Amino acid sequence: MTRPPAPLLQIQDLHVHFPVGSQFLARNKRLLRAVSGVNLHLQKGECLSIVGESGCGKSTTALAVMGLQEPTSGDILFEGKSIIGANAPSRMDRARIAQMVFQDPYASLNPRQTVRGSLAAPLRLHGTTAKSEVDDRIEDILKKVDLRPEFAERYPHEFSGGQRQRIGIARALILNPRILMLDEPVSALDVSVRAQIINLLLDLQEELSLSFVMISHDLGVVEHMSDRVAVMYFGQIVELGRWDAIFSNPTHPYTRKLISTIPDPDTVLHPDKRANLNTAPNPPAGYRFHPDDISRPDVYSAPAPSDLIEVGPGHFVRCGRAGPAEFS
């Protein structure tokens, strides 16, 4: 039996806690548990999407991978080696592991720098100082994102939103990272250009052998780009699997709630076909979410022990003492 390849990136039992309230009075000390025991892996050439509502811990997980948020506990491994703690690589080395494409392409660019300045700065910081080499690298990366080389002399305000996002992608790729963190990469763009940026990212993924971790609220984009999807709810992964399993057979109640938000013209014309998510009378033990209970989990206390169980090939759902039969 052939073993699957070793993951490019592994997140092991990741916890990120933030102190809230007064730190001087012991009775007021509380911890906001933004991420609680997250375990994920990313294969080479894969797009893993993390979805969930605002505040569920998606971006905090991404920032921990980027080295911009110190984990409270747990480990993050790249090619089997830890990249946090005492043995963590330098910031320079880490920049070649992963780079981020931000949601707002205008806010993420320095309005006082030309495109050339934004692209040349990381190259010079990493030791590429010869002008001819810098110019060649900038010209090459602009062509890869379908921009003309002469655009390098312009400023961000001279571009459309879609062009600015292409510049942001070029800046993320200029150091040849192995992983791109895509933080809502098309949500700030017009609908007419979203498909162009999505197709560009998919072409670059294939051409440059990139791996993506995508944070998104747009489930249509997630469905189009992802190999696997992790559904996150209040700091925990509640469902994980291939995109087709998640979208065709959402098993956790929270996942079903998310899928139901995807616009469907058929349910507008025929309301009786709309999924009724409030009919499950006895949810499996261990769920932190149930449609009949709109109260939210307490993010200041440790979550109840629960596990991801396999309900299909590569399809995992979080529950406590429930078995696969209880998910029918």
Side-chain angles (χ1 to χ4, degrees):
M1 183 176 179
T2 304
R3 289 186 178 181
L8 181 67
L9 178 75
Q10 292 175 277
I11 301 173
Q12 298 180 342
D13 196 27
L14 183 68
H15 293 256
V16 182
H17 302 163
F18 297 101
V20 295
S22 172
Q23 298 305 298
F24 299 99
L25 299 175
R27 66 177 180 272
N28 292 329
K29 287 186 178 180
R30 293 191 301 173
L31 289 177
L32 191 155
R33 301 172 187 270
V35 178
S36 297
V38 165
N39 290 281
L40 290 171
H41 71 271
L42 177 72
Q43 297 289 356
K44 181 179 179 181
E46 181 184 39
C47 177
L48 171 66
S49 290
I50 306 176
V51 302
E53 62 193 68
S54 296
C56 70
K58 312 184 298 294
S59 294
T60 303
T61 301
L63 292 175
V65 173
M66 292 294 299
L68 302 176
Q69 174 61 56
E70 187 69 24
T72 303
S73 63
D75 204 357
I76 301 173
L77 291 82
F78 176 75
E79 294 184 328
K81 297 181 180 179
S82 178
I83 57 173
I84 63 173
N87 298 320
S90 67
R91 292 291 303 163
M92 300 283 280
D93 291 336
R94 194 156 185 164
R96 294 184 179 274
I97 294 174
Q99 287 287 327
M100 182 170 281
V101 177
F102 296 94
Q103 177 177 356
D104 188 340
Y106 189 74
S108 64
L109 297 172
N110 188 337
R112 297 186 177 184
Q113 274 191 329
T114 63
V115 172
R116 180 180 301 280
S118 294
L119 298 180
L123 289 175
R124 294 196 174 100
L125 185 64
H126 284 256
T128 304
T129 56
K131 185 178 183 303
S132 60
E133 186 176 356
V134 170
D135 290 345
D136 289 344
R137 293 277 294 274
I138 291 174
E139 180 177 348
D140 179 63
I141 201 63
L142 287 177
K143 288 180 178 178
K144 278 184 167 60
V145 297
D146 296 331
L147 292 175
R148 296 201 298 270
E150 56 265 30
F151 285 1
E153 309 307 325
R154 298 184 184 181
Y155 289 86
H157 72 272
E158 300 179 71
F159 297 96
S160 67
Q163 289 173 323
R164 285 196 289 262
Q165 192 62 298
R166 292 175 189 270
I167 295 168
I169 294 170
R171 184 181 58 181
L173 293 176
I174 197 71
L175 293 176
N176 299 319
R178 304 284 299 280
I179 299 169
L180 280 193
M181 306 293 297
L182 306 175
D183 185 7
E184 298 279 3
V186 297
S187 64
L189 304 178
D190 293 338
V191 175
S192 59
V193 299
R194 289 185 181 185
Q196 298 174 20
I197 299 300
I198 291 171
N199 290 333
L200 172 65
L201 287 168
L202 293 174
D203 290 342
L204 290 170
Q205 181 184 24
E206 182 176 357
E207 179 183 353
L208 304 177
S209 299
L210 293 169
S211 303
F212 294 159
V213 176
M214 184 166 67
I215 309 298
S216 183
H217 292 93
D218 191 331
L219 296 181
V221 174
V222 169
E223 186 176 12
H224 186 70
M225 289 189 63
S226 307
D227 295 293
R228 289 185 302 126
V229 178
V231 181
M232 202 165 186
Y233 182 66
F234 277 82
Q236 288 189 306
I237 302 299
V238 296
E239 190 158 357
L240 173 67
R242 286 184 50 83
W243 72 269
D244 49 352
I246 297 295
F247 282 87
S248 65
N249 183 32
T251 304
H252 195 279
Y254 181 65
T255 308
R256 298 203 302 271
K257 193 75 170 178
L258 284 181
I259 299 299
S260 73
T261 65
I262 301 176
D264 185 352
D266 192 45
T267 60
V268 175
L269 297 175
H270 305 283
D272 56 301
K273 293 185 178 181
R274 186 178 292 115
N276 183 359
L277 300 179
N278 296 316
T279 57
N282 298 303
Y287 274 139
R288 302 186 72 203
F289 174 91
H290 184 251
D292 291 334
D293 180 12
I294 61 173
S295 62
R296 297 185 175 221
D298 181 2
V299 294
Y300 301 107
S301 62
S306 52
D307 300 304
L308 287 170
I309 66 168
E310 191 167 13
V311 295
H315 186 183
F316 299 87
V317 182
R318 179 168 296 279
C319 77
R321 296 176 294 277
E326 297 189 48
F327 288 92
S328 58

